Amino acid sequence: MPLTLVNWNVEWATHRAPRGQEILRRIHAHAPDIVCLTEAGIGLLAQPGHAICSQPDSGYGVKKDRRKVILWSREPWESVDCEGTGSLPPGRFVSGVTRTPVGEVRVVGVCIPWFGSRTEKKRGSQQKRQWEDHARYLAGLAEVLKRDSATRLIVLGDFNQAIGPGSRAPAELRSALRGAFPAGMSIATADLTFEERANIDHIAVSDDLTVGSVAAISNLHGGKPLSDHFGVVTEVSAERRREG
Protein backbone atom coordinates (compact mmCIF):
# COMPACT_ATOMS: atom_id res chain seq x y z
CA MET A 1 0.00 0.00 0.00
CA PRO A 2 1.53 3.36 -0.98
CA LEU A 3 2.20 6.28 1.31
CA THR A 4 0.45 9.52 0.26
CA LEU A 5 2.21 12.82 1.01
CA VAL A 6 0.83 16.35 0.68
CA ASN A 7 3.03 19.43 0.86
CA TRP A 8 1.81 23.04 0.58
CA ASN A 9 2.87 26.56 1.57
CA VAL A 10 -0.58 27.96 2.41
CA GLU A 11 0.42 31.63 2.95
CA TRP A 12 -0.78 31.84 6.56
CA ALA A 13 -4.22 30.33 5.97
CA THR A 14 -6.23 29.65 9.13
CA HIS A 15 -8.95 27.12 9.89
CA ARG A 16 -11.48 29.89 10.55
CA ALA A 17 -11.28 31.51 7.11
CA PRO A 18 -13.07 30.18 3.99
CA ARG A 19 -9.69 30.13 2.23
CA GLY A 20 -8.28 27.77 4.85
CA GLN A 21 -11.37 25.58 4.76
CA GLU A 22 -11.06 25.19 0.97
CA ILE A 23 -7.38 24.33 1.28
CA LEU A 24 -8.26 21.66 3.85
CA ARG A 25 -10.97 20.26 1.58
CA ARG A 26 -8.43 19.85 -1.22
CA ILE A 27 -5.91 18.24 1.10
CA HIS A 28 -8.47 15.76 2.49
CA ALA A 29 -9.55 14.81 -1.04
CA HIS A 30 -6.21 12.99 -1.38
CA ALA A 31 -6.60 11.08 1.94
CA PRO A 32 -2.95 11.75 2.85
CA ASP A 33 -0.96 9.83 5.42
CA ILE A 34 1.45 12.71 6.02
CA VAL A 35 0.97 16.44 5.44
CA CYS A 36 3.54 19.23 5.58
CA LEU A 37 2.21 22.79 5.67
CA THR A 38 4.50 25.79 5.65
CA GLU A 39 3.46 29.31 6.67
CA ALA A 40 0.25 28.06 8.26
CA GLY A 41 -2.11 28.93 11.07
CA ILE A 42 -1.40 26.60 13.96
CA GLY A 43 -4.99 25.30 14.12
CA LEU A 44 -5.32 24.52 10.44
CA LEU A 45 -4.58 20.80 10.90
CA ALA A 46 -6.49 20.46 14.18
CA GLN A 47 -8.34 17.30 13.16
CA PRO A 48 -8.03 13.59 14.02
CA GLY A 49 -4.36 12.81 13.68
CA HIS A 50 -1.17 14.15 15.20
CA ALA A 51 0.63 17.44 14.49
CA ILE A 52 4.09 18.71 15.42
CA CYS A 53 5.37 22.23 14.77
CA SER A 54 8.54 24.24 14.36
CA GLN A 55 9.48 26.71 17.06
CA PRO A 56 7.33 29.90 17.24
CA ASP A 57 10.14 32.41 16.62
CA SER A 58 11.48 32.35 13.04
CA GLY A 59 13.61 35.46 13.43
CA TYR A 60 10.72 37.90 13.19
CA GLY A 61 9.46 37.64 16.76
CA VAL A 62 7.22 35.05 18.40
CA LYS A 63 4.01 34.27 16.48
CA LYS A 64 1.80 32.32 18.87
CA ASP A 65 -0.84 31.39 16.30
CA ARG A 66 1.49 30.79 13.32
CA ARG A 67 4.24 28.35 12.44
CA LYS A 68 6.66 28.21 9.54
CA VAL A 69 6.38 24.38 9.47
CA ILE A 70 3.65 22.00 10.61
CA LEU A 71 3.86 18.22 10.13
CA TRP A 72 0.75 16.06 10.46
CA SER A 73 0.51 12.26 10.50
CA ARG A 74 -2.31 9.76 10.95
CA GLU A 75 -0.13 8.04 13.57
CA PRO A 76 1.64 9.49 16.64
CA TRP A 77 5.08 11.07 16.38
CA GLU A 78 8.18 9.91 18.23
CA SER A 79 11.70 11.37 18.52
CA VAL A 80 10.40 14.87 17.78
CA ASP A 81 13.07 17.49 17.07
CA CYS A 82 12.18 21.18 16.67
CA GLU A 83 15.74 22.49 16.39
CA GLY A 84 17.78 20.19 14.16
CA THR A 85 21.06 21.93 14.91
CA GLY A 86 21.95 25.25 16.46
CA SER A 87 23.41 26.47 13.17
CA LEU A 88 20.00 26.44 11.44
CA PRO A 89 18.14 29.77 11.24
CA PRO A 90 15.38 29.52 13.87
CA GLY A 91 11.78 28.39 13.61
CA ARG A 92 11.97 26.66 10.23
CA PHE A 93 12.52 23.00 11.08
CA VAL A 94 10.67 20.12 12.67
CA SER A 95 11.17 16.37 12.38
CA GLY A 96 9.80 13.20 13.87
CA VAL A 97 9.43 9.47 13.35
CA THR A 98 6.00 8.04 12.57
CA ARG A 99 4.44 4.79 11.36
CA THR A 100 3.15 4.79 7.79
CA PRO A 101 1.92 2.29 5.16
CA VAL A 102 5.59 1.80 4.14
CA GLY A 103 6.79 1.29 7.71
CA GLU A 104 8.50 3.60 10.15
CA VAL A 105 9.81 6.80 8.53
CA ARG A 106 11.70 9.83 9.74
CA VAL A 107 9.99 12.90 8.28
CA VAL A 108 11.77 16.26 8.15
CA GLY A 109 9.71 19.39 7.50
CA VAL A 110 11.57 22.48 6.31
CA CYS A 111 10.94 26.07 5.33
CA ILE A 112 14.23 27.13 3.77
CA PRO A 113 14.56 30.94 3.99
CA TRP A 114 13.83 32.99 0.87
CA PHE A 115 16.63 35.11 -0.58
CA GLY A 116 15.47 38.22 1.30
CA SER A 117 15.19 36.60 4.75
CA ARG A 118 16.06 39.09 7.53
CA THR A 119 17.57 41.60 5.10
CA GLU A 120 15.30 44.38 6.41
CA LYS A 121 16.67 47.07 8.70
CA LYS A 122 14.71 46.70 11.92
CA ARG A 123 15.45 47.87 15.43
CA GLY A 124 16.93 45.10 17.53
CA SER A 125 17.52 42.70 14.62
CA GLN A 126 20.66 41.89 12.69
CA GLN A 127 20.52 42.71 9.00
CA LYS A 128 21.52 39.91 6.65
CA ARG A 129 22.79 39.85 3.08
CA GLN A 130 20.55 38.39 0.38
CA TRP A 131 20.69 34.56 0.35
CA GLU A 132 22.69 34.54 3.63
CA ASP A 133 20.00 32.79 5.70
CA HIS A 134 19.27 30.47 2.78
CA ALA A 135 22.92 29.38 2.52
CA ARG A 136 23.22 28.96 6.29
CA TYR A 137 20.10 26.81 6.36
CA LEU A 138 21.35 24.50 3.61
CA ALA A 139 24.63 23.99 5.48
CA GLY A 140 22.74 23.15 8.68
CA LEU A 141 20.31 20.87 6.86
CA ALA A 142 23.20 18.89 5.36
CA GLU A 143 24.54 18.38 8.89
CA VAL A 144 21.16 17.18 10.17
CA LEU A 145 20.41 14.83 7.28
CA LYS A 146 23.83 13.24 7.51
CA ARG A 147 22.79 11.93 10.93
CA ASP A 148 19.75 10.22 9.34
CA SER A 149 21.50 8.59 6.38
CA ALA A 150 20.78 5.06 7.64
CA THR A 151 17.08 5.75 8.21
CA ARG A 152 14.12 5.63 5.82
CA LEU A 153 13.77 9.36 5.27
CA ILE A 154 11.40 11.92 3.73
CA VAL A 155 12.21 15.64 3.55
CA LEU A 156 9.48 18.01 2.45
CA GLY A 157 8.45 21.64 2.70
CA ASP A 158 9.19 24.98 1.07
CA PHE A 159 12.67 24.75 -0.46
CA ASN A 160 12.49 28.30 -1.90
CA GLN A 161 14.31 27.05 -4.97
CA ALA A 162 13.07 25.75 -8.26
CA ILE A 163 15.14 22.78 -9.37
CA GLY A 164 16.41 22.90 -12.90
CA PRO A 165 16.17 25.61 -15.56
CA GLY A 166 13.55 27.66 -13.63
CA SER A 167 15.84 28.30 -10.67
CA ARG A 168 16.83 31.88 -9.85
CA ALA A 169 19.21 30.85 -7.08
CA PRO A 170 22.95 31.42 -7.50
CA ALA A 171 24.77 28.41 -8.93
CA GLU A 172 26.59 27.69 -5.66
CA LEU A 173 23.28 27.51 -3.78
CA ARG A 174 21.69 25.24 -6.38
CA SER A 175 24.66 22.96 -5.81
CA ALA A 176 24.35 23.35 -2.03
CA LEU A 177 20.70 22.30 -2.15
CA ARG A 178 21.53 19.09 -4.01
CA GLY A 179 24.49 18.48 -1.74
CA ALA A 180 22.41 18.80 1.43
CA PHE A 181 20.80 15.41 0.79
CA PRO A 182 22.52 12.08 1.47
CA ALA A 183 23.61 10.07 -1.54
CA GLY A 184 20.71 8.27 -3.17
CA MET A 185 17.97 10.65 -2.09
CA SER A 186 15.82 11.92 -4.95
CA ILE A 187 13.61 14.99 -5.20
CA ALA A 188 10.34 13.56 -6.50
CA THR A 189 8.86 16.95 -7.38
CA ALA A 190 11.87 18.42 -9.19
CA ASP A 191 10.14 18.69 -12.58
CA LEU A 192 6.63 19.57 -11.41
CA THR A 193 4.99 22.75 -12.76
CA PHE A 194 1.53 24.29 -12.56
CA GLU A 195 0.16 27.02 -14.83
CA GLU A 196 3.69 27.32 -16.29
CA ARG A 197 5.15 28.05 -12.83
CA ALA A 198 8.11 26.06 -11.56
CA ASN A 199 7.63 24.31 -8.24
CA ILE A 200 9.53 25.33 -5.08
CA ASP A 201 7.59 23.16 -2.57
CA HIS A 202 9.35 19.82 -2.82
CA ILE A 203 9.34 16.25 -1.53
CA ALA A 204 12.60 14.29 -1.33
CA VAL A 205 12.78 10.58 -0.46
CA SER A 206 15.53 8.11 0.43
CA ASP A 207 16.52 5.37 -1.99
CA ASP A 208 14.47 2.69 -0.23
CA LEU A 209 11.29 4.45 -1.38
CA THR A 210 9.95 4.36 -4.93
CA VAL A 211 8.10 7.39 -6.26
CA GLY A 212 4.77 6.69 -7.95
CA SER A 213 2.45 9.53 -8.89
CA VAL A 214 3.39 13.20 -8.53
CA ALA A 215 0.79 15.93 -9.09
CA ALA A 216 0.04 19.57 -8.41
CA ILE A 217 -2.86 20.71 -6.22
CA SER A 218 -4.41 23.80 -7.76
CA ASN A 219 -4.15 27.01 -5.75
CA LEU A 220 -6.93 28.64 -7.79
CA HIS A 221 -10.50 28.98 -6.56
CA GLY A 222 -13.15 31.08 -8.28
CA GLY A 223 -10.48 32.89 -10.26
CA LYS A 224 -8.57 33.87 -7.11
CA PRO A 225 -5.51 32.26 -5.50
CA LEU A 226 -5.89 30.29 -2.27
CA SER A 227 -2.16 30.77 -1.70
CA ASP A 228 0.79 32.20 -3.59
CA HIS A 229 2.04 28.59 -3.87
CA PHE A 230 0.34 25.56 -5.39
CA GLY A 231 0.32 22.32 -3.45
CA VAL A 232 1.91 18.97 -4.32
CA VAL A 233 0.79 15.39 -3.70
CA THR A 234 3.02 12.36 -4.11
CA GLU A 235 2.62 8.62 -3.62
CA VAL A 236 5.61 6.50 -2.66
CA SER A 237 6.00 2.79 -1.97
CA ALA A 238 8.59 0.75 -0.11
CA GLU A 239 11.61 -0.76 -1.83
CA ARG A 240 14.42 -2.78 -0.36
CA ARG A 241 17.42 -0.52 0.30
CA ARG A 242 20.11 -1.11 -2.27
CA GLU A 243 23.45 -2.39 -1.02
CA GLY A 244 26.45 -0.19 -1.72
Side-chain angles (χ1 to χ4, degrees):
M1 184 174 180
L3 161 63
T4 302
L5 303 153
V6 167
N7 180 31
W8 202 344
N9 180 317
V10 295
E11 197 183 5
W12 304 120
T14 69
H15 66 288
R16 298 183 182 91
R19 179 170 73 94
Q21 293 169 11
E22 177 60 22
I23 286 171
L24 280 180
R25 187 192 68 77
R26 296 186 185 198
I27 290 172
H28 291 324
H30 295 281
D33 300 290
I34 291 173
V35 178
C36 178
L37 298 184
T38 52
E39 297 190 341
I42 199 167
L44 190 59
L45 288 176
Q47 72 238 15
H50 306 269
I52 55 177
C53 304
S54 57
Q55 295 174 344
D57 185 357
S58 60
Y60 290 90
V62 174
K63 304 294 185 183
K64 293 183 179 180
D65 60 343
R66 294 179 171 189
R67 291 293 187 276
K68 279 288 187 180
V69 191
I70 300 173
L71 288 177
W72 176 93
S73 172
R74 292 182 181 274
E75 300 294 333
W77 294 97
E78 300 176 357
S79 304
V80 176
D81 179 3
C82 298
E83 182 180 8
T85 176
S87 62
L88 280 172
R92 294 172 171 271
F93 175 96
V94 64
S95 76
V97 176
T98 188
R99 294 186 303 276
T100 77
V102 299
E104 196 171 79
V105 177
R106 173 166 289 282
V107 184
V108 176
V110 303
C111 187
I112 300 174
W114 71 302
F115 75 90
S117 174
R118 296 193 289 180
T119 56
E120 307 91 340
K121 290 183 178 179
K122 291 184 177 180
R123 182 178 298 176
S125 65
Q126 183 179 1
Q127 188 178 7
K128 304 281 186 177
R129 298 185 304 274
Q130 287 190 350
W131 294 108
E132 182 177 348
D133 267 356
H134 189 98
R136 182 182 164 203
Y137 194 103
L138 291 177
L141 183 63
E143 179 185 336
V144 172
L145 297 184
K146 197 175 296 183
R147 302 197 302 249
D148 291 311
S149 60
T151 306
R152 182 165 283 168
L153 180 64
I154 295 171
V155 182
L156 70 174
D158 184 352
F159 286 21
N160 263 307
Q161 275 197 46
I163 296 173
S167 179
R168 298 180 181 179
E172 64 270 19
L173 293 182
R174 297 198 299 271
S175 177
L177 177 62
R178 291 285 192 177
F181 297 99
M185 284 199 79
S186 60
I187 300 177
T189 50
D191 299 322
L192 187 65
T193 61
F194 178 73
E195 298 284 311
E196 299 183 350
R197 288 182 55 194
N199 183 37
I200 63 173
D201 294 342
H202 291 291
I203 298 173
V205 300
S206 53
D207 63 357
D208 50 1
L209 294 170
T210 300
V211 177
S213 61
V214 179
I217 303 174
S218 173
N219 63 333
L220 302 177
H221 181 62
K224 296 181 180 180
L226 294 167
S227 167
D228 56 353
H229 294 232
F230 60 89
V232 299
V233 56
T234 301
E235 286 189 352
V236 298
S237 56
E239 178 179 294
R240 180 183 297 176
R241 181 178 287 275
R242 295 189 293 271
E243 299 296 330

